[in-house]
């Protein structure tokens, strides 16, 4: 039942995330292709997004504590304790988020002066701060749904926010409202998403008959808060240092588009992280370390056969992809996109390990990993960005993620047996690399003769065929893989999966 719940939950989240990232991608395609937002506008939006990200820190990572403790208590059939945790953290997060909004408003003028040399962007900073405040509350309620393992409802909340916010943002941008119109769209979408989240959570927790002290919750979450600060540096330092070092917001916009393009790959690996967290937490709470190791191995197998070929494909066809979706003005970011795509493979595996560390309560170890990585990232960026611009920023992300993954493996081994599916890893790497020569040939033959969209479609088709044929030749897939697919997809897909199993598996 637990495996079935995870599979179904992962499918629900994946389906919703697929729609989510399609909508997000279409938003950037529309505003870039129509020039409703110029590369400089997108650079401005990236810096504003960084400012909004700092407000996430005001929650002190307490939403993660909600998932951790509520799911653990419910796994032990202690529903009253779970409800008490939910009530305490809701009140605390609301107060902290309000305080963060007030601070951001007060600092809006100095921030505008620092980044743009004038105070004209103060209204934009205030608007993006309001949007961040609402997102904090959405994150809190989504954490409650995650603890309840209501993964479908959780995905719906995100989908409602994304659909409404991006559609309205795109419309307002096309009407000439620029960046301010985009942020107003974000706010309207946040209100809709928050309303849905509150509705879904209401009545799902029991009525608490006692009060949970905040101190043990803070003890768990505070290292995660510091870790979130380090993660903010890791995710935004390259954009901020690039903006500060060059003052070229068009270049910042092109790089930020490359970074955001990789969000589409999150639909592959994020859902399994969301669903596996409460499972690992519950198993560890029941003192079942072997179950934790098995969950790790299954998740790593799924990641190997999905994220590796996707990243290799994107890295190979980066120039064509940027030209198709954003236009020729953004093709200069192709090298950076290729490097970033490869780094996503490491990021997915790293997230699996840090999610496991968090689920078993080892948040201090996660903090160590992120602090070391943030320090190395800033050091590398200060030298590489000045010499290589966006390529230096991309190389920094790749190097730092490799370091972080090495540290995570070392630290997790102290607590559980780290059993990644090595066979799946090497077979997927070989199968993915096999498609690269074919893609280079297609690129050289078709680029000057066919439209970019047709070239990209042909490359995706060829890459998929070569990858599957290589997996067949390597005897990579087995019956358990297809059984997992049957749990993952609705019943109408069973016949299709049966046919695929007959083709792809051999003795």
């Amino acid at each position: 039942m637990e495996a079935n719940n995870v599979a179904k939950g992962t499918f629900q989240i994946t389906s919703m995330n697929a729609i989510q990232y399609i909508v997000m991608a279409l938003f950037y395609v529309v505003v870039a292709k129509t020039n409703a937002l110029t590369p400089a506008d997108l650079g401005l939006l990236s810096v504003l997004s960084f400012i909004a990200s700092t407000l996430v820190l005001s929650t002190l990572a307490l939403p993660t504590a909600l998932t951790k403790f509520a799911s653990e208590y419910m796994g032990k059939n202690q529903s009253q304790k779970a409800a008490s945790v939910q009530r305490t953290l809701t009140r605390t997060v609301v107060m902290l988020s309000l305080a963060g909004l007030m601070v951001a408003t007060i600092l809006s003028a100095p921030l505008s002066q620092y980044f743009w040399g004038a105070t004209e962007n103060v209204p934009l900073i205030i608007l993006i701060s309001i949007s961040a405040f609402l997102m904090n509350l959405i994150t809190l309620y989504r954490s409650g749904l995650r603890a309840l393992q209501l993964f479908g409802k959780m995905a719906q909340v995100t989908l409602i926010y994304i659909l409404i916010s991006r559609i309205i943002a795109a419309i307002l941008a096309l009407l000439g409202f620029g960046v301010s119109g985009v942020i107003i769209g974000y706010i309207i979408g946040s209100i809709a998403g928050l309303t849905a989240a509150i509705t879904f959570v209401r009545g799902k927790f029991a009525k608490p008959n006692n009060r949970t002290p905040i101190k043990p919750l803070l003890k768990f979450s505070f290292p995660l808060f510091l870790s979130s600060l380090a993660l903010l540096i890791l995710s935004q330092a390259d954009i901020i240092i690039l903006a500060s070092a060059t003052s070229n917001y068009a270049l910042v916009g092109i790089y930020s588009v490359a970074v955001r393009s990789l969000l589409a790959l999150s639909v592959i690996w994020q859902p399994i992280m969301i669903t596996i967290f409460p499972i690992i937490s519950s198993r560890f709470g029941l003192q079942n370390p072997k179950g934790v190791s098995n969950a790790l191995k299954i998740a790593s197998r799924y990641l190997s056969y999905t994220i590796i070929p996707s990243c290799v494909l994107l890295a190979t066809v980066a120039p064509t992809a940027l030209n198709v979706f954003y236009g020729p003005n953004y093709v200069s970011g192709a090298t950076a996109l290729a490097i970033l795509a490869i780094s996503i493979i490491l990021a997915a595996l790293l997230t699996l390990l840090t999610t496991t560390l968090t689920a078993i309560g080892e948040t201090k170890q996660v903090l160590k990993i992120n602090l070391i990585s943030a320090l190395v990232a800033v050091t590398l960026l200060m030298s590489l960005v000045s010499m290589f611009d966006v390529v230096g920023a991309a190389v920094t992300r790749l190097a730092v993620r490799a370091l972080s993954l090495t540290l995570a493996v070392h630290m997790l081994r102290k607590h559980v047996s780290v059993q990644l599916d090595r066979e799946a890893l090497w077979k997927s790497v070989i199968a993915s690399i096999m498609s690269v020569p074919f893609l280079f040939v297609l690129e050289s033959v078709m680029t000057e003769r066919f439209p970019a969209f047709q070239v990209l479609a042909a490359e995706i088709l060829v890459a998929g065929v070569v990858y599957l044929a290589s997996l067949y030749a390597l005897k990579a897939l087995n019956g358990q893989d297809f059984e997992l697919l049957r749990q993952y997809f609705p019943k109408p897909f069973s016949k299709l999966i049966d046919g695929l199993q007959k083709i792809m598996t051999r003795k």
Side-chain angles (χ1 to χ4, degrees), residues 140-215:
L140 172 68
Y141 281 95
R142 287 180 78 250
S143 295
L145 292 169
R146 186 180 182 186
L148 294 163
Q149 297 190 28
L150 296 175
F151 303 121
K153 298 294 186 184
M154 183 181 174
Q156 288 177 40
V157 170
T158 302
L159 185 61
I160 290 170
Y161 161 68
I162 291 295
L163 279 174
I164 295 177
S165 65
R166 268 35 178 202
I167 290 174
I168 295 177
I171 291 172
L172 292 177
L174 290 170
L175 291 175
F177 289 94
V179 176
S180 60
V182 171
I183 300 175
I184 290 171
Y186 289 177
I187 292 174
I188 295 173
S190 298
I191 293 172
L194 179 59
T195 302
I198 293 173
T199 302
F200 292 152
V201 170
R202 184 175 295 171
K204 296 298 188 297
F205 285 95
K207 291 185 179 180
N209 53 16
N210 55 17
R211 179 177 296 180
T212 297
I214 192 65
K215 186 175 180 179

Side-chain angles (χ1 to χ4, degrees), residues 55-56 58-59 62-63 66 86 89-99 101 129-145 157 161 190-199 201:
L55 292 181
V56 175
S58 64
T59 65
L62 288 172
L66 172 58
Q86 193 263 349
L89 290 179
T90 298
R91 293 176 178 176
T92 305
V93 169
V94 170
M95 290 188 294
L96 290 173
S97 297
L98 282 171
L101 176 59
S129 299
I130 294 172
S131 174
F133 166 75
L134 294 171
M135 283 304 302
N136 278 357
L137 301 186
I138 290 176
T139 301
L140 172 68
Y141 281 95
R142 287 180 78 250
S143 295
L145 292 169
V157 170
Y161 161 68
S190 298
I191 293 172
L194 179 59
T195 302
I198 293 173
T199 302
V201 170

Side-chain angles (χ1 to χ4, degrees), residues 89-321:
L89 290 179
T90 298
R91 293 176 178 176
T92 305
V93 169
V94 170
M95 290 188 294
L96 290 173
S97 297
L98 282 171
L101 176 59
M102 292 177 62
V103 171
T105 302
I106 294 170
L107 295 178
S108 58
L111 286 171
S112 180
Q113 187 68 41
Y114 173 78
F115 284 110
W116 299 284
T119 57
E120 60 182 14
N121 288 323
V122 166
L124 295 179
I125 295 175
I126 294 174
L127 284 174
I128 202 71
S129 299
I130 294 172
S131 174
F133 166 75
L134 294 171
M135 283 304 302
N136 278 357
L137 301 186
I138 290 176
T139 301
L140 172 68
Y141 281 95
R142 287 180 78 250
S143 295
L145 292 169
R146 186 180 182 186
L148 294 163
Q149 297 190 28
L150 296 175
F151 303 121
K153 298 294 186 184
M154 183 181 174
Q156 288 177 40
V157 170
T158 302
L159 185 61
I160 290 170
Y161 161 68
I162 291 295
L163 279 174
I164 295 177
S165 65
R166 268 35 178 202
I167 290 174
I168 295 177
I171 291 172
L172 292 177
L174 290 170
L175 291 175
F177 289 94
V179 176
S180 60
V182 171
I183 300 175
I184 290 171
Y186 289 177
I187 292 174
I188 295 173
S190 298
I191 293 172
L194 179 59
T195 302
I198 293 173
T199 302
F200 292 152
V201 170
R202 184 175 295 171
K204 296 298 188 297
F205 285 95
K207 291 185 179 180
N209 53 16
N210 55 17
R211 179 177 296 180
T212 297
I214 192 65
K215 186 175 180 179
L217 303 178
L218 283 172
K219 184 178 180 180
F220 168 85
S221 67
F222 191 70
L224 287 180
F225 158 70
L226 295 177
S227 184
S228 297
L229 179 60
L231 284 174
L232 178 64
I233 295 173
L234 288 170
S235 64
Q236 299 290 334
D238 48 359
I239 293 175
I240 299 306
I241 291 176
L242 187 62
S244 301
T246 66
S247 297
N248 186 345
Y249 283 91
L251 184 65
V252 174
I254 292 171
Y255 180 74
S256 66
V257 162
V259 171
R260 291 182 181 277
S261 296
L262 298 170
L263 290 175
L265 297 176
S266 299
V267 71
I268 299 172
W269 56 274
Q270 273 191 350
I272 193 65
M273 305 305 170
I274 294 171
T275 54
I276 204 173
F277 181 93
I279 300 303
I280 290 178
S281 181
S282 177
R283 288 181 180 180
F284 192 77
L286 295 173
Q287 298 182 343
N288 183 12
K290 187 176 180 180
V292 174
S293 298
N294 290 337
L296 266 176
K297 187 172 183 178
I298 293 172
S300 68
R301 185 175 182 85
Y302 165 81
L303 290 175
S304 298
Y305 287 133
T306 53
I307 196 66
I308 292 175
S310 302
C311 291
V312 171
L313 170 62
L314 182 57
T316 308
V317 304
T320 306

Side-chain angles (χ1 to χ4, degrees), residues 404-425:
S404 300
L405 181 60
T406 303
L407 292 173
V409 170
H410 173 70
M411 292 180 180
L412 186 57
R413 279 177 176 169
K414 297 177 181 178
H415 307 282
V416 296
S417 176
V418 180
Q419 297 182 11
L420 300 181
D421 197 320
R422 296 180 180 179
E423 180 187 3
L425 282 169

